[in-house]
Amino acid sequence: MTGRDAEGLDVVVTGLGVTSAFGRGTETLRQALATSRPAFGPVGRFAADRYRTGTAAVLPGSPDLDEELHRVVAEALDQAGLTPRERAQAPLLLGRHADPAVARRPLAAQGKTAVSDTAAELVAACGLREAARTYTNACVAASTALFEAASRIRTGRETRIVVCAGYLVDEDNFALFSAGRALAPDGVLRPFSADRRGLLLGDGVGAVVLESSAAAAARGARPLAVLSGWGMAGDAYHVCQPHPEGLGMARAIGSALAKAGLTATDIGYVNAHGTGTPHNDAAESAALHRALGEWAAGTPVSSTKSLHGHCLEASGMLELAVSLLALRHGELPVNAGYLGPDDACRLDLVLGEPRKADVRHVLSLNAAFGGANTALVVSTP
């Protein structure tokens, strides 16, 4: 059974809300991607002079994650045009980082501060049915939530689901990634490039309304896109390194393509995980060659983390928004920060300026500590 069939259970996207370091709203994100200028700059939220770099992609001021999540969910619901009754039928799936402030509270208070409280508060504020689940599994949290939502709709267990995810750059994670020597000391994120030296963090918050195509059609909603395939697989290799041959990610890609009823030749663009770290980019390149075969050499690829930063638990959601924009506007965003080829990353990278292309299917990839890998296929309606 594929992700697109004749039973009216295609999973469609009918609403989208997003915030990135470029600002709030999908049009703001689209315009920023078109300029190809990264959003990185000095971090002003906390003193960063003792860390490996003082650079990240952040919104001005001190935004509040709960408020930003509420805003993007409201934006997605408004665009979908759901009535109060339809909203009340939809559960919420959330991906977010555990609040680092909780660990500094007294033990008695910590036990009363569940990370899932965010989802419960969003449900109440937005008139949704229930907080179904909260994912905190690092860089695949959002894409795992999307995977679960699509599976529930595709199998008829739900008619529509709201999925949201968010991460705002904070000192706890900044210090953690700096101590792990993962942050790029030169302040530039260079995915798949020679002399790439690590990642840079970024703000990211997003939400989508997913529905069965039959439910969307019944209320006259026009889909923005189809979530046509989804896959997930583990490396079972190392706690913080990907399998060097990309075995888990290749299986995730194969599963997503099979679910969508597509082959490698149908994919017109890959929005890669591409963190700019030597191990990750080489393993992801190997996975693309393993999964797409000869087609990998001619498929446009970019990691937009080079523009908006690595948004950790929100990565899959922000990059889904980027993939939707690429489909709708026929403009593939660049892979910024590039210095030259690396033999371990032989890909058709989008460089210099966005590439015009009539694309019908986009592959969006994410990976996380523990060897977790996800692949999503997003298609034109």
Side-chain angles (χ1 to χ4, degrees):
M1 182 178 290
T2 70
R4 310 192 73 170
D5 67 4
E7 299 178 10
L9 292 177
D10 276 359
V11 180
V12 297
V13 182
T14 55
L16 171 67
V18 68
T19 290
S20 70
F22 295 115
R24 297 174 176 87
T26 53
E27 179 58 20
T28 298
L29 177 61
R30 187 196 69 78
Q31 291 180 10
L33 295 174
T35 69
S36 303
R37 288 196 296 271
F40 300 108
V43 178
R45 267 173 218 171
F46 49 84
D49 54 338
R50 56 179 169 162
Y51 300 124
R52 189 170 168 84
T53 181
T55 300
V58 294
L59 289 159
S62 302
D64 179 83
L65 180 56
D66 289 350
E67 292 176 2
E68 295 295 335
L69 284 165
H70 187 184
R71 196 199 64 74
V72 296
V73 170
E75 182 181 350
L77 289 169
D78 288 345
Q79 184 175 37
L82 295 178
T83 65
R85 180 174 177 274
E86 290 162 343
R87 295 182 184 201
Q89 296 170 340
L92 177 76
L93 294 175
L94 170 67
R96 65 154 294 173
H97 193 78
D99 186 350
V102 172
R104 291 189 282 273
R105 295 172 186 166
L107 285 176
Q110 289 183 29
K112 298 176 182 177
T113 312
V115 67
S116 58
D117 286 352
T118 296
E121 292 166 3
L122 276 172
V123 164
C126 299
L128 302 175
R129 190 182 81 201
E130 64 175 345
R133 187 162 294 163
T134 296
Y135 285 97
T136 60
N137 49 332
C139 312
V140 296
S143 48
T144 306
L146 290 162
F147 179 106
E148 179 180 344
S151 298
R152 289 191 186 200
I153 293 170
R154 180 63 187 82
T155 54
R157 286 178 287 168
E158 297 286 355
T159 297
R160 64 180 59 88
I161 301 178
V162 178
V163 185
C164 66
Y167 169 72
L168 299 177
V169 175
D170 64 290
E171 187 168 9
D172 292 71
N173 278 288
F174 206 89
L176 180 67
F177 280 87
S178 180
R181 305 182 67 78
L183 297 181
D186 59 352
V188 182
L189 206 164
R190 309 180 188 279
F192 306 109
S193 170
D195 202 27
R196 60 188 180 278
R197 304 183 67 186
L199 59 85
L200 296 171
L201 297 175
D203 289 344
V205 189
V208 291
V209 176
L210 300 182
E211 300 184 71
S212 74
S213 55
R219 63 185 188 86
R222 180 178 295 180
L224 304 174
V226 180
L227 184 52
S228 55
W230 47 93
M232 185 162 51
D235 282 341
Y237 174 73
H238 191 277
V239 68
C240 61
Q241 291 182 16
H243 193 290
E245 297 176 24
L247 298 186
M249 181 168 283
R251 286 197 299 273
I253 295 171
S255 178
L257 290 175
K259 187 81 71 180
L262 301 174
T263 66
T265 59
D266 293 309
I267 299 300
Y269 166 61
V270 177
N271 187 275
H273 185 59
T275 58
T277 55
H279 288 306
N280 177 87
D281 292 0
E284 188 169 11
S285 301
L288 284 167
H289 282 278
R290 181 177 291 274
L292 303 184
E294 295 180 356
W295 196 251
T299 303
V301 176
S302 65
S303 167
T304 48
K305 288 183 177 69
S306 61
L307 298 171
H308 52 63
H310 192 343
C311 307
L312 302 185
E313 283 81 357
S315 292
M317 184 61 71
L318 183 57
E319 290 158 23
L320 176 69
V322 171
S323 299
L324 283 171
L325 291 171
L327 279 177
R328 289 178 64 82
H329 298 282
E331 198 165 75
L332 311 183
V334 302
N335 188 81
Y338 191 72
L339 292 178
D342 182 320
D343 286 343
C345 305
R346 293 175 293 104
L347 299 169
D348 178 16
L349 299 170
V350 181
L351 301 173
E353 60 183 18
R355 188 183 301 181
K356 299 287 187 183
D358 183 13
V359 173
R360 294 192 59 205
H361 307 282
V362 172
L363 180 63
S364 180
L365 303 176
N366 287 110
F369 287 146
N373 302 276
T374 58
L376 303 173
V377 179
V378 193
S379 305
T380 53

